[in-house]
Amino acid sequence: MEFVFPVLLIGIALISVITLAKALRIVPQQRQDVVERLGRYKRTLNPGLNLLVPFIDSVRTKVDMREQVVSFPPQPVITSDNLVVSIDTVLYFKVVDSVRATYEISNFLQAIEQLTVTTLRNVIGSLDLERALTSREEINRHLSGVLDETTGRWGIKVTRVEIKAIEPPPSIRDSMEKQMRAERDRRAAILNAEGHKQSQILSAEGEKQAAVLRADGDRQARILQAEGQAKAIRTVFDAIHQANPSQKVLAYQYLQALPQIANGTANKVWIVPAELTKALEGMGGALGGLSQMVGDVPSKAASDDASAVEREAAEAAQAAAAAAAEIHDEVRVAEAQATGGKGPQGLPAPEPVSPASLLNDPADQRERG
């Protein structure tokens, strides 16, 4: 008996502790516990300290009320152009009603996965590969609408559906890479052609502007050169009119040019022009009587140097006559060589011309000389 009483006390204390543990239930934040009494739904425990009837009430499920993320394995889907692609999806959802999530469906996570796969196959089956690759936003929106409508009666809210990857077959990937490479090459060729075109246009515009500037510079240079020549001619013309030269000065200038006319190895025949006779006649008149010339009034400076001009005119006349005699001799020698030492038939030998005859003889003798 001594040992029975302590054992009974220990058993009573142990039962009390177990009963107290069964009666008290602490629920953490963002979680709800579904309680059943004798196998029937009784109530839902909210976060905090809750009391239960020991051995009568029991917790059926512990539902996490936070938003959850589930990544489904890749699923093979056939597009409208009969290509099999592998699609990997990610699902975001949260439980809004723990009771319906517990009693409306046995495993809501598996149900959501299967519903996502079937809905994805329906959506992708109506699109071709190119549109499926470029219409992710449209696919996500369609999946979210269908899943949210179906899972609403399960007490679950689908917040978002994302497609992680769409993997076409390897052969299609190679073709797409070749197509993209060809597209990039085409764009590069177009850019190169446009750059070459722009460079050619700029070069042509530069050459055009350079040609215009050169032509303008040449025109300005010709204008300036012409203006300079006109100014020089005008200056010389004004100087001649201001100096008022007499006829004897002009005759003297003509006589100075005669040796240059007769000079040269190719001059075999020297023809005395008619102007020379007139110039010599004017020179003779100037030397004979300067005061009797009409309309030729020499300036004061010319009167002072009259003797020097007369001497120079006489010397020039003698030089012209000497040159004419030399040319006449050369012509005779050439004719003798051409005829074998015999003179030309029918041609009289010309008489030599002297400076005095050029200055004082009549006009018929000058023309004969």
Side-chain angles (χ1 to χ4, degrees):
M1 281 305 286
E2 298 180 341
F3 297 102
V4 174
F5 184 72
V7 172
L8 184 60
L9 291 176
I10 293 173
I12 294 171
L14 184 60
I15 293 171
S16 300
V17 172
I18 294 173
T19 303
L20 184 59
K22 291 285 186 181
L24 296 178
R25 175 67 65 176
I26 299 175
V27 180
Q29 186 67 30
Q30 291 295 327
R31 198 184 80 180
Q32 289 183 354
D33 294 348
V34 178
V35 178
E36 293 180 348
R37 179 172 291 179
L38 300 176
R40 187 175 181 180
Y41 171 74
K42 178 62 179 177
R43 64 193 178 97
T44 301
L45 301 181
N46 294 319
L49 181 61
N50 297 275
L51 296 176
L52 300 176
V53 178
F55 305 104
I56 296 177
D57 295 339
S58 62
V59 177
R60 169 69 183 271
T61 55
K62 299 176 181 179
V63 182
D64 192 352
M65 305 300 293
R66 295 174 297 179
E67 186 174 2
Q68 301 179 40
V69 182
V70 180
S71 178
F72 299 131
Q75 300 293 329
V77 181
I78 301 176
T79 61
S80 62
D81 49 356
N82 297 325
L83 292 176
V84 179
V85 295
S86 180
I87 300 179
D88 192 3
T89 57
V90 178
L91 181 67
Y92 296 83
F93 71 95
K94 65 183 298 185
V95 178
V96 295
D97 191 343
S98 58
V99 178
R100 285 191 295 173
T102 303
Y103 294 103
E104 293 293 335
I105 190 168
S106 61
N107 189 345
F108 63 84
L109 188 59
Q110 184 180 3
I112 291 174
E113 180 181 359
Q114 296 301 321
L115 182 61
T116 302
V117 172
T118 55
T119 306
L120 189 61
R121 286 177 178 174
N122 293 332
V123 174
I124 298 299
S126 61
L127 303 175
D128 56 3
L129 178 61
E130 185 176 359
R131 189 177 176 187
L133 293 174
T134 59
S135 303
R136 294 194 177 189
E137 292 295 332
E138 182 181 353
I139 297 172
N140 294 337
R141 187 168 54 253
H142 194 277
L143 284 175
S144 297
V146 173
L147 292 176
D148 190 27
E149 182 181 357
T150 305
T151 59
R153 63 176 182 269
W154 300 339
I156 297 173
K157 173 68 175 177
V158 177
T159 59
R160 192 170 184 178
V161 180
E162 291 290 341
I163 297 177
K164 282 199 305 185
I166 300 178
E167 296 293 337
S171 59
I172 301 299
R173 287 200 300 268
D174 295 339
S175 300
M176 293 173 62
E177 290 177 358
K178 292 179 181 179
Q179 182 180 1
M180 292 302 298
R181 190 179 301 111
E183 181 68 20
R184 292 191 182 94
D185 294 339
R186 183 181 69 85
R187 293 178 181 177
I190 291 174
L191 292 177
N192 290 332
E194 290 180 353
H196 183 67
K197 175 183 176 182
Q198 293 295 330
S199 65
Q200 292 292 331
I201 291 173
L202 293 177
S203 299
E205 290 180 354
E207 292 178 359
K208 174 183 175 183
Q209 293 179 1
V212 170
L213 292 177
R214 284 195 296 269
D216 188 39
D218 190 12
R219 182 177 66 85
Q220 294 293 334
R222 289 177 181 272
I223 291 174
L224 293 177
Q225 185 177 3
E227 291 179 354
Q229 292 178 356
K231 187 175 180 180
I233 293 173
R234 190 180 302 111
T235 303
V236 173
F237 183 78
D238 295 339
I240 291 173
H241 280 275
Q242 290 177 3
N244 192 14
S246 61
Q247 293 183 0
K248 67 179 190 309
V249 176
L250 297 177
Y252 170 67
Q253 293 292 331
Y254 199 94
L255 289 174
Q256 283 184 338
L258 288 178
Q260 296 179 0
I261 296 175
N263 188 16
T265 57
N267 294 329
K268 301 304 181 181
V269 178
W270 188 55
I271 300 174
V272 178
E275 287 80 359
L276 178 61
T277 59
K278 295 180 181 180
L280 293 177
E281 183 180 357
M283 180 63 70
L287 296 175
L290 295 176
S291 60
Q292 297 179 359
M293 296 179 65
V294 180
D296 187 9
V297 181
S299 60
K300 183 179 180 180
S303 298
D304 295 337
D305 297 336
S307 59
V309 170
E310 292 176 356
R311 287 194 300 271
E312 291 180 359
E315 293 175 357
Q318 293 177 0
E326 292 178 358
I327 293 173
H328 177 69
D329 295 338
E330 291 179 359
V331 170
R332 294 296 299 273
V333 172
E335 290 176 352
Q337 293 178 355
T339 57
K342 297 179 180 181
Q345 300 296 328
L347 292 176
E351 298 178 357
V353 180
S354 63
S357 62
L358 290 175
L359 294 175
N360 299 324
D361 287 351
D364 56 353
Q365 294 179 0
R366 289 197 299 269
E367 291 179 358
R368 186 178 67 251

